[in-house]
Amino acid sequence: MAFQPNLTGPGKNFQCPPADPIMTDPERVVRDFYHPQRVQVIHPIQVVNRHHCVPVYEHVYTCEEIDEYCGTHPHPHQGMLRD
């Protein structure tokens, strides 16, 4: 509201004419809105099957049976051993 002095006399009803409005530069107000956006992230996985040879000992026994003569002299009635 404009200041109006208390006038007495012939101009006591005087009022200033309306002034033109003053327009200032607009003040910028930014409102940010965030919305989810799906983005696929691909993680490749490579499964490597490695095969290793590991020595595992398997004990195998062979058996041979032989006959031996343990006497001092062969007896005449016993036969000789053959190979």
Side-chain angles (χ1 to χ4, degrees):
M1 182 186 255
F3 173 74
Q4 295 184 2
N6 190 2
L7 298 176
T8 58
K12 75 177 187 176
N13 290 334
F14 177 79
Q15 290 186 351
C16 293
D20 291 335
I22 299 173
M23 183 69 100
T24 63
D25 291 335
E27 191 172 320
R28 188 172 177 203
V29 175
V30 177
R31 298 185 329 166
D32 292 320
F33 296 91
Y34 298 93
H35 304 279
Q37 179 185 25
R38 292 181 62 158
V39 177
Q40 287 187 346
V41 178
I42 299 172
H43 301 271
I45 297 173
Q46 183 181 54
V47 176
V48 177
N49 294 320
R50 296 178 3 164
H51 300 271
H52 303 273
C53 292
V54 178
V56 176
Y57 298 112
E58 178 183 355
H59 298 276
V60 178
Y61 299 93
T62 61
C63 181
E64 178 182 330
E65 184 176 331
I66 61 170
D67 291 316
E68 285 185 349
Y69 178 71
C70 296
T72 53
H73 302 303
H75 293 271
H77 61 281
Q78 287 184 329
M80 298 298 286
L81 295 177
R82 298 184 196 168
D83 290 335

